[in-house]
Amino acid sequence: LVAELQKRVMGTPFQPKLQIIIGDVIKAELPFFNVCVANIPYQISSPLVFKLLLHRPHFRCAILMFQREFAYRLVAKPGDKLYCRLSINTQLLARVEIIMK
């Protein structure tokens, strides 16, 4: 997918604005960024959310695709069966919403 993405932005105004980081995102030190777009494997969903919430300086926006059940935990409200530490921390530090199923 990296090669396809690079091919699609080559020669466009987006090319100098796009930095693709290949590797283990949990182990990597993230550079400054404004926007994050990612399809997240279930196994690293929680660690990645907490890493992004603590990232400094703050970024403007993240569009993340998660497994449906995990996404519902992110937006769960007090009293919901899925409400948990993840819900509290995410909603305390970020605006979170499900935008597509």
Side-chain angles (χ1 to χ4, degrees):
L1 291 175
V2 170
E4 180 63 27
L5 181 57
Q6 289 171 329
K7 184 175 86 175
R8 288 181 185 214
V9 300
M10 191 177 303
T12 72
F14 301 111
Q15 186 176 4
K17 297 178 181 182
L18 178 66
Q19 178 183 5
I20 301 171
I21 301 170
I22 303 169
D24 186 338
V25 70
I26 301 301
K27 293 178 183 174
E29 186 168 328
L30 298 176
F32 169 77
F33 60 90
N34 278 326
V35 177
C36 175
V37 178
N39 181 4
I40 312 301
Y42 183 77
Q43 295 84 354
I44 66 165
S45 295
S46 285
L48 183 60
V49 165
F50 284 111
K51 183 172 184 153
L52 290 173
L53 290 172
L54 297 174
H55 186 264
R56 299 295 181 267
H58 294 287
F59 52 92
R60 184 172 53 91
C61 178
I63 305 295
L64 307 172
M65 185 178 346
F66 293 110
Q67 183 178 7
R68 183 180 294 175
E69 293 78 13
F70 184 83
Y72 287 154
R73 287 175 50 208
L74 292 174
V75 300
K77 299 296 181 204
D80 290 349
K81 182 180 177 183
L82 296 174
Y83 192 65
C84 61
R85 177 177 78 107
L86 178 67
S87 314
I88 296 165
N89 286 309
T90 302
Q91 294 172 39
L92 177 67
L93 299 171
R95 186 184 67 178
V96 59
E97 60 185 291
I98 295 176
I99 58 173
M100 183 186 299
K101 291 182 183 179

